[in-house]
Every structure is written in C-alpha cells, then in structure tokens.
C-alpha cells in the first residue's frame, strides 16, 4: 500500500488481474493481482492492470497486489514436514495446511499430527 502525501500521478504495467497463473504437474492455479484505490472507503475503485498517468489526490491510497505463481505438483503429495516448515515460516496458515495440503498441524506442539494427516489424505 502506498499513500500519496501530495497530489500526483501513477502509471502501472501489470498482468494477471483477470486470469490466474496456471499450475503445472497437477499444481493449483495461482492468485490474480489487483490495483485498488482507497480500499475500504466510499471512494474505493478497482483499476485494470494497466493504467497510465492516473491522477491521485493527496491522501489517496493505492493497494497493489501482485499475482502469485501457479503451483508445482499435487499439493496433497507435498511432504508434511515441508508444509509444517511453511507454517512455521508464516508462509501459510493452519487452515491452508489442512484445506490445500491436507496436513494437520498441532499448533501447541508445532508438529504435524500424523494420524489426522493420514486421515485427511485418505490413508
């Protein structure tokens, strides 16, 4: 997010605001990007991915969200320890570990719940 402290202009040359990046080898699609001006206010606007010389007023805020890459490989086949490591590094949430990777994390012990993970993965 960037806030304009004085009036100015902005240009942006982005992509992937309408089509998600595709995954490979059964990987999930990525997330699209966005440009949102004054998010959460009555003046909120969603802009297209490419804008040139757009006028901005003092105190306007622009939220720029870059698209993510598509996934590589079936997320359910990912090593549960690697999923735990991603959670420990704050890359994913417990809900994402469970819903996307089918890995149950014991938050108190910061370990993989192997029995629940096997159940989630159909084992």
């Amino acid at each position: 997010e960037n806030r304009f402290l004085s009036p100015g202009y902005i240009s942006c040359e982005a992509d992937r605001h309408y089509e998600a990046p595709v995954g490979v080898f059964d990987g999930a699609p990525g997330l699209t990007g966005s440009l949102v001006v004054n998010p959460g206010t009555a003046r909120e606007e969603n802009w297209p991915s490419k804008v040139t010389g757009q006028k901005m007023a003092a105190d306007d805020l622009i939220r720029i969200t870059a698209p993510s890459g598509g996934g590589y490989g079936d997320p359910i086949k990912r090593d549960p320890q690697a999923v735990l490591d991603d959670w420990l590094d704050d890359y994913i949430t417990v809900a994402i570990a469970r819903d996307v990777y089918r890995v149950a994390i014991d938050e108190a012990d910061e370990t993989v719940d192997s029995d629940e993970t096997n159940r989630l993965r159909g084992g």
Side-chain angles (χ1 to χ4, degrees), residues 45-99:
E45 294 179 50
N46 289 298
W47 283 0
S49 60
K50 293 175 177 37
V51 296
T52 302
Q54 284 292 125
K55 191 172 185 177
M56 301 292 286
D59 205 41
D60 276 350
L61 181 122
I62 187 159
R63 177 182 294 155
I64 303 166
T65 303
S68 69
Y72 183 91
D74 184 346
I76 296 174
K77 293 180 180 174
R78 180 134 195 221
D79 176 21
Q81 183 61 47
V83 175
L84 176 67
D85 291 343
D86 285 348
W87 175 71
L88 290 169
D89 290 337
D90 289 326
Y91 293 140
I92 63 170
T93 64
V94 168
I96 289 172
R98 182 179 200 83
D99 298 342

Side-chain angles (χ1 to χ4, degrees), residues 91-115:
Y91 293 140
I92 63 170
T93 64
V94 168
I96 289 172
R98 182 179 200 83
D99 298 342
V100 175
Y101 297 98
R102 305 285 191 253
V103 172
I105 294 175
D106 181 327
E107 293 181 72
D109 292 338
E110 297 186 340
T111 59
V112 172
D113 180 335
S114 297
D115 291 338

Side-chain angles (χ1 to χ4, degrees), residues 7-19:
Y9 296 88
I10 189 168
S11 295
C12 182
E13 292 288 330
D15 280 314
R16 295 289 181 186
H17 283 204
Y18 303 106
E19 293 180 17

